[in-house]
Amino acid sequence: MREFLVEITTTVPEGIGQPEVDRRRAAEAVRARELAATGHLTRLWRPVGELRSIGVWRAADEEELHAKVLGTLPLRPWMTLTVTPLEPHPNDPGTKPESHPDEPGTK
């Protein structure tokens, strides 16, 4: 699966009652746990003092991400998304470095 950085801003439309907002938020929490359990949602943050989320999501491709992952979120109709496809960086400290024959200590 590929990784995507997704910025989400949710804006509740005018005229929506609090019970509907509460119902969708509760359903959103359940769906987020389901997507995490299946490996589609790997990390999620909220910037300090902001009402938006930034997460790392996984899917086979961007089409699947929108249709079968983000599109299944109960709050999706109220969301504005910015999706950035990611690829590994050679200096990522979270990955194991490859051994190179010219490095000291390798043969």
Side-chain angles (χ1 to χ4, degrees):
M1 281 198 280
R2 295 193 58 200
E3 290 185 313
F4 300 87
L5 181 69
V6 181
E7 296 179 54
I8 301 171
T9 302
T10 304
T11 305
V12 177
E14 287 187 38
I16 301 293
Q18 194 59 47
E20 176 65 9
V21 173
D22 293 343
R23 183 189 70 75
R24 285 191 187 224
R25 284 188 176 150
E28 185 86 6
V30 170
R31 186 63 183 135
R33 285 191 297 273
E34 292 169 352
L35 290 168
T38 59
H40 291 289
L41 173 58
T42 60
R43 297 298 308 266
L44 192 61
W45 299 269
R46 172 162 287 146
V48 175
E50 296 185 34
L51 294 176
R52 65 185 180 105
S53 301
I54 299 171
V56 176
W57 298 74
R58 299 178 77 210
D61 53 35
E62 197 164 341
E63 182 179 331
E64 180 186 72
L65 178 71
H66 284 282
K68 297 183 180 177
V69 180
L70 299 173
T72 68
L73 296 170
L75 293 172
R76 177 61 188 101
W78 302 345
M79 292 177 173
T80 302
L81 306 173
T82 302
V83 175
T84 305
L86 300 173
E87 63 183 27
H89 191 286
N91 296 328
D92 179 1
T95 59
K96 201 162 54 167
E98 293 183 23
S99 179
H100 295 284
D102 57 339
E103 291 179 2
T106 61
K107 295 183 181 189

